[in-house]
């Protein structure tokens, strides 16, 4: 009897402790989500500012894309290192340092007077974002170790990726038109400070145990490989035959192959291959990579069509993109609520089909098109598709991850999306430039630009549709994991 009483008392105390921890997690969630929102927001907030920013600062067309790409490139290249720093140095400490650094980098960007200062500030933002994003997601993983609360928290956090990118367009348009494009940078300062204070007050420190040695060969190979790959694609708009395109692409692929070889051999790998090779997580990382290309790359050219072809002012273009944001939020809520019934496979496979349908609709754009016919139906379809993809993928990305690997797993899902976005922008820019140059020989300027945009949307549709078979073939996670009825991961094999 005494032993039963002690066992019951211990169980009750453990339950209270766990409940208190989850309660603090819910209070911290808005601040962690705010940081993720800011990181994703900065991937697109300057999109609508680009035409005016380019004119005011005298930036060339070839340099213009680097205002967007430099952020995504550095962010993606250093995310794996950022995840390991968060695990080893302390996730709370990393979060606070990164939030402060992001605010300073944003201030420098807003005050920039020369193109190189602006692009440098964007790269500096990317470095701190590479620390901030994995630290935020790792802290969320520790705060919600399992059950229904974890599923709900991750659904909210996951929807931020799509919402932040879409809201970035709206906010960027408003600030550019009615205040100044410089406020696309200044706006981050109060957001970062609020997130920093909230996490400092509400979140406990956590870090990985065991060895904390860094894999510096892996760091160098990952950063140079990803950087070389994106740089090669970015230069492809000047022609695929030049060394600046295929040479850097080949070098990037080679260094990433060497990176995998190194990770298989070293004792303390930057990316433990067990994190990336589990089939459900592999599906999440691949889907995030491809969805990032469609989302970040596609939104950029949707903005160009709205402003350059249809003549929308920056804020009007942002308002025009709002239906996608609203639909995405609604869809994410519905999907999160029904994940226990649907599982991850159904929405993850159906969402990309809707994304591809949206992009195929956009291939019909014309120089004298209208928003209601050419854009609105596609934006609604895109919002539904993104909501169906991002919510399950954020859950799957951390499925069954050991707590010591929480930071690097968090980094990998963010890296997948950001590198996908970088390559998407670079590849789509090259496709648009080639198609526009060809069409310009036989038509007017607006017709030539529209021809380039149309081909970009066709490529984006092709990228989106590839996500569906990945989800169907790789996802084998049991629905009980989403329902919270069992804290132990279940996987259907075969």
């Amino acid at each position: 009897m005494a032993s039963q009483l002690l066992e019951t008392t211990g169980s009750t105390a453990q339950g209270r402790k766990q409940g208190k921890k989850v309660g603090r997690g819910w209070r911290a969630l808005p601040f962690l989500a705010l940081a993720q929102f800011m990181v994703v927001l900065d991937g697109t907030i300057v999109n609508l500012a680009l035409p005016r920013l380019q004119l005011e600062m005298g930036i060339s067309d070839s340099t213009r894309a680097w205002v967007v790409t430099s952020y995504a490139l550095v962010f993606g290249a250093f995310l794996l290192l950022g995840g390991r720093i968060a695990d080893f140095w302390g996730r709370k400490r990393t979060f606070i340092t990164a939030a402060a650094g992001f605010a300073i980098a944003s201030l420098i960007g807003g005050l920039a007077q020369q193109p190189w200062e602006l692009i440098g500030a964007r790269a500096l933002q990317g470095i701190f974002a590479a620390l901030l994003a994995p630290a935020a997601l790792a802290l969320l993983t520790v705060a919600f170790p399992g059950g229904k609360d974890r599923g709900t928290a991750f659904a909210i956090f996951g929807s931020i990726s799509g919402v932040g990118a879409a809201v970035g367009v709206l906010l960027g348009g408003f600030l550019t038109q009615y205040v100044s494009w410089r406020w696309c940078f200044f706006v981050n300062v109060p957001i970062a400070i609020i997130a920093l204070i909230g996490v400092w007050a509400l979140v406990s420190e956590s870090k990985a145990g065991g060895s904390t040695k860094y894999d510096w060969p892996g760091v160098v190979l990952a950063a140079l490989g990803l950087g070389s790959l994106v740089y090669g694609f970015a230069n492809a708009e000047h022609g695929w035959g030049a060394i600046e395109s295929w040479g850097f692409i080949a070098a990037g692929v080679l260094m990433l192959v060497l990176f995998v070889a190194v990770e298989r051999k070293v004792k303390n790998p930057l990316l433990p291959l067990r994190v990336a090779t589990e089939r459900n997580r592999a599906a999440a990382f691949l889907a995030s990579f491809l969805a990032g290309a469609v989302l970040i790359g596609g939104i950029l050219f949707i903005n160009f069509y709205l402003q350059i072809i249809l003549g929308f002012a920056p804020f009007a273009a942002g308002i025009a993109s709002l239906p996608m944001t609203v639909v995405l939020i609604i869809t994410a809520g519905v999907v999160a609520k029904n994940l226990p019934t649907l599982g991850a496979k159904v929405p993850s496979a159906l969402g990309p089909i809707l994304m591809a349908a949206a992009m195929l609709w956009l291939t019909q754009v014309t120089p004298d098109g209208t928003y209601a016919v050419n854009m609105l139906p596609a934006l609604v379809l895109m919002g539904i598709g993104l909501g169906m993809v991002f919510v399950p993928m954020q859950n799957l990305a951390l499925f069954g991850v050991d707590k010591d690997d929480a930071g690097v797993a968090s980094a990998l899902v963010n890296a997948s999306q950001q590198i996908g976005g970088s390559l998407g922008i670079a590849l789509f820019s090259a496709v648009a430039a080639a198609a526009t140059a060809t069409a310009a020989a036989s038509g007017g300027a607006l017709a030539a630009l529209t021809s380039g945009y149309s081909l970009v949307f066709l490529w984006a549709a092709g990228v989106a549709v590839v996500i569906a078979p990945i989800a169907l073939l790789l996802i084998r996670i049991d629905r009980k994991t989403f329902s919270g009825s069992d804290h132990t991961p279940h996987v259907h094999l075969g």
Side-chain angles (χ1 to χ4, degrees):
M1 179 71 71
S3 62
Q4 290 179 343
L5 181 60
L6 286 172
E7 185 177 339
T8 302
T9 304
S11 177
T12 303
Q14 181 69 23
R16 287 175 179 170
K17 184 177 180 181
Q18 182 70 21
K20 185 177 180 181
K21 181 178 180 180
V22 172
R24 286 176 63 88
W26 283 118
R27 291 193 293 274
L29 177 60
F31 301 101
L32 296 173
L34 188 63
Q36 175 71 2
F37 174 80
M38 179 178 67
V39 166
V40 177
L41 178 84
D42 251 60
T44 58
I45 193 170
V46 300
N47 284 2
L48 285 173
L50 276 179
R52 187 167 296 182
L53 179 157
Q54 180 182 9
L55 183 64
E56 287 188 17
M57 297 200 73
I59 298 175
S60 66
D61 288 343
S62 60
T63 305
R64 178 184 62 187
W66 282 101
V67 177
V68 177
T69 303
S70 60
Y71 174 78
L73 169 59
V74 176
F75 183 17
F78 288 98
L79 261 168
L80 291 176
L81 176 60
R84 268 307 184 220
I85 290 174
D87 284 335
F88 294 166
W89 193 46
R91 290 147 189 158
K92 178 179 178 179
R93 183 186 299 175
T94 302
F95 183 100
I96 290 172
T97 302
F102 199 95
I104 293 170
S106 299
L107 190 62
I108 293 171
L111 296 172
Q113 299 299 314
Q114 298 295 327
W116 67 267
E117 294 174 339
L118 182 63
I119 293 172
R122 290 287 284 166
L124 192 60
Q125 282 182 316
I127 290 174
F128 287 111
L131 292 167
L132 187 61
L137 192 50
L139 287 171
L140 187 71
T141 304
V142 173
F144 296 94
K148 188 176 292 186
D149 284 330
R150 177 188 174 104
T152 304
F154 271 69
I156 294 170
F157 198 87
S159 64
I160 293 295
S161 295
V163 172
V167 170
V169 176
L170 176 64
L171 184 59
F174 175 81
L175 293 173
T176 300
Q177 184 169 341
Y178 293 109
V179 188
S180 166
W181 63 263
R182 295 181 182 277
W183 273 93
C184 294
F185 294 89
F186 293 148
V187 72
N188 291 319
V189 177
I191 295 176
I193 291 173
I194 292 170
L196 186 158
I197 293 172
V199 168
W200 177 78
L202 295 171
V203 177
S204 299
E205 184 61 280
S206 66
K207 61 176 67 176
S211 176
T212 57
K213 292 183 178 179
Y214 290 97
D215 168 25
W216 291 114
V219 170
V220 173
L221 286 170
L224 291 180
L226 292 171
S228 181
L229 203 60
V230 174
Y231 185 77
F233 276 106
N235 279 283
E237 67 176 303
H238 305 302
W240 290 98
I243 187 67
E244 289 84 359
S245 54
W246 66 263
F248 276 95
I249 292 171
V253 171
L254 177 61
M255 281 187 279
L256 291 178
V257 170
L258 290 174
F259 169 73
V260 173
V262 168
E263 299 310 278
R264 291 170 62 95
K265 300 293 185 181
V266 297
K267 187 176 180 180
N268 300 293
L270 175 67
L271 173 60
L273 295 183
R274 63 181 178 270
V275 173
T277 54
E278 194 280 322
R279 63 188 302 163
N280 295 282
R281 290 199 296 270
F285 299 141
L286 288 171
S288 295
F289 173 80
L290 296 171
V294 177
L295 173 64
I296 298 174
I299 283 181
L300 180 64
F301 285 91
I302 287 173
N303 162 55
F304 286 162
Y305 180 76
L306 287 170
Q307 286 198 71
I308 298 173
I309 306 299
L310 298 186
F312 280 35
F315 184 54
I319 291 291
S321 301
L322 192 58
M324 181 175 72
T325 307
V326 174
V327 172
L328 192 157
I329 293 171
I330 295 171
T331 303
V334 172
V335 171
K337 184 177 180 180
N338 291 283
L339 270 182
T341 303
L342 294 173
K345 181 180 290 189
V346 172
S348 299
L350 181 57
I353 301 300
L354 297 177
M355 291 167 60
M359 288 298 165
L360 286 175
W361 187 282
L362 290 172
T363 61
Q364 304 304 306
V365 292
T366 61
D368 56 351
T370 64
Y371 170 76
V373 173
N374 294 100
M375 301 297 296
L376 183 58
L379 291 173
V380 172
L381 281 174
M382 190 69 173
I384 297 172
L386 288 170
M388 296 180 76
V389 170
F390 279 123
V391 171
M393 287 305 148
Q394 198 78 62
N395 278 270
L396 286 176
L398 289 156
F399 166 72
V401 172
D402 185 271
K403 63 179 182 179
D404 288 348
D405 293 328
V408 72
S410 306
L412 191 55
V413 68
N414 278 288
S416 300
Q417 183 179 330
Q418 291 300 321
I419 291 298
S422 298
L423 292 176
I425 291 173
L427 177 61
F428 295 162
S429 295
V431 168
T436 300
T438 301
S442 58
L446 290 183
L449 286 171
T450 304
S451 178
Y453 300 158
S454 178
L455 189 59
V456 164
F457 297 138
L458 181 61
W459 275 69
V463 172
V465 80
V466 172
I467 303 173
I470 290 173
L472 291 171
L473 293 172
L474 293 183
I475 295 176
R476 292 291 186 271
I477 192 169
D478 194 286
R479 296 176 187 179
K480 290 181 181 179
T481 302
F482 291 107
S483 69
S485 60
D486 194 336
H487 291 186
T488 304
H490 290 266
V491 180
H492 293 309
L493 300 177

